[in-house]
């Protein structure tokens, strides 16, 4: 059974810092990996999608990498801003096209 | 940018009542889903729907739950005989191969 783990569970950084969020999964048989952002009490906003054949994807200040063989992904956020404060969720797509989510990393960027 | 629309945003219901949660997925997507998130817990898969039928369901999705695509645009989740433990945020989503999943903003269901 696929398990997704995210480290750290919470992170507090000063504005302007570069930071890395980690995601690991137990079964490398995934179709893709997606990073989402969730604001309190809100829905899930897709940030980046990495297909299983890809190594990384970039969007603005965000860069996500995928190492399928070792079961790891990282989300790199450059020059963090208070508006980046949210919960970041990692999810892998497995058989049946369903997502298995991690518990998330709660990020707080202090101004 | 196309989006998934969910209504209502918040629903309060009495224990034992039936509720219907509604969703309008992205029109050219082929896969539709319902997920839920109990407060403080992980987002968990309930059911996927493809070609007008359920393609996969989790062990959570028992006879209490049903899904329907009553017309070409709407996708509904019906929960019968609601229980206190059904209180959660329910997310509808649709997907394609290029952009992955797009989620709606959710319906917060409170069973009292």
């Amino acid at each position: 059974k696929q398990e997704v783990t995210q480290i750290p569970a919470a992170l507090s950084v000063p504005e302007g810092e570069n930071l890395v969020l980690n995601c690991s999964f137990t079964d490398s048989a995934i179709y893709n990996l997606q990073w989402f952002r969730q604001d309190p009490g809100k829905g899930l906003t897709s940030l980046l999608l990495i297909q299983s054949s890809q190594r990384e994807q970039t969007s603005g200040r965000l860069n996500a990498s995928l190492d399928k063989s070792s079961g790891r992904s990282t989300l790199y956020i450059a020059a963090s801003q208070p508006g980046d404060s949210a919960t970041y969720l990692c999810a892998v797509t497995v058989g049946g096209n369903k997502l298995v989510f991690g518990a998330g990393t709660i990020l707080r960027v202090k101004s | 940018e196309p989006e998934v629309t969910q209504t209502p945003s918040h629903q309060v219901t009495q224990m034992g009542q039936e509720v219907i949660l509604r969703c309008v997925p992205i029109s050219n997507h082929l896969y539709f889903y319902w997920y839920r998130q109990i407060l403080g817990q992980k987002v968990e898969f309930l059911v996927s729907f493809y070609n007008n039928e359920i393609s996969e369901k989790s062990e959570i999705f028992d006879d209490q739950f049903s899904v329907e695509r009553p017309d070409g645009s709407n996708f509904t989740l019906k929960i019968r005989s609601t229980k206190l433990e059904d209180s959660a945020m329910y997310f509808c989503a649709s997907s394609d191969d290029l952009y992955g999943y797009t989620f709606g903003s959710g319906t917060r269901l409170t069973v009292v």
Side-chain angles (χ1 to χ4, degrees):
Chain A
K1 182 186 171 186
Q2 179 74 263
E3 296 283 346
V4 178
T5 304
Q6 291 187 245
I7 294 173
L11 184 61
S12 182
V13 300
E15 181 177 5
E17 268 205 12
N18 302 324
L19 54 101
V20 175
L21 308 182
N22 297 289
C23 172
S24 62
F25 45 95
T26 54
D27 187 344
S28 62
I30 64 169
Y31 292 100
N32 56 49
L33 183 145
Q34 203 162 354
W35 283 92
F36 295 90
R37 169 185 172 139
Q38 185 176 30
D39 292 285
K42 303 293 185 183
L44 309 175
T45 301
S46 178
L47 299 173
L48 289 164
L49 169 71
I50 311 177
Q51 300 291 353
S52 62
S53 58
Q54 296 175 323
R55 299 283 296 184
E56 66 176 339
Q57 280 288 340
T58 299
S59 175
R61 294 183 294 108
L62 305 180
N63 175 276
S65 68
L66 173 63
D67 184 341
K68 207 175 111 169
S69 60
S70 67
R72 294 181 183 179
S73 176
T74 61
L75 178 67
Y76 176 82
I77 302 177
S80 57
Q81 302 169 359
D84 295 331
S85 298
T87 297
Y88 290 80
L89 299 173
C90 166
V92 295
T93 302
V94 297
N97 219 34
K98 66 183 182 187
L99 290 176
V100 178
F101 281 86
T105 293
I106 302 171
L107 173 65
R108 181 179 169 222
V109 181
K110 299 171 288 186
S111 56
Chain B
E1 188 170 329
E3 56 182 33
V4 175
T5 304
Q6 287 188 246
T7 54
S9 57
H10 191 190
Q11 172 107 36
V12 180
T13 189
Q14 297 247 329
M15 197 165 47
Q17 295 296 304
E18 175 182 288
V19 295
I20 297 176
L21 310 183
R22 303 180 191 279
C23 170
V24 179
I26 294 174
S27 59
N28 61 348
H29 284 184
L30 299 179
Y31 283 90
F32 313 123
Y33 313 86
W34 285 99
Y35 285 75
R36 79 173 183 188
Q37 186 178 34
I38 295 171
L39 189 63
Q41 297 187 22
K42 290 184 179 183
V43 178
E44 53 187 353
F45 169 80
L46 291 178
V47 65
S48 60
F49 194 84
Y50 173 76
N51 203 24
N52 286 319
E53 61 183 24
I54 291 174
S55 54
E56 187 158 347
K57 57 184 181 179
S58 71
E59 55 271 17
I60 304 167
F61 195 88
D62 59 19
D63 292 344
Q64 186 193 4
F65 296 89
S66 62
V67 290
E68 197 175 43
R69 188 157 164 83
D71 52 44
S73 59
N74 291 286
F75 181 50
T76 62
L77 174 68
K78 182 187 291 185
I79 309 174
R80 289 177 280 273
S81 300
T82 49
K83 300 174 276 194
L84 294 177
E85 54 264 37
D86 294 327
S87 295
M89 190 76 130
Y90 287 81
F91 294 109
C92 174
S94 61
S95 71
D96 68 7
D97 289 338
L98 191 59
Y99 297 108
Y101 270 67
T102 301
F103 280 83
S105 55
T107 294
R108 180 171 300 283
L109 177 66
T110 303
V111 183
V112 297

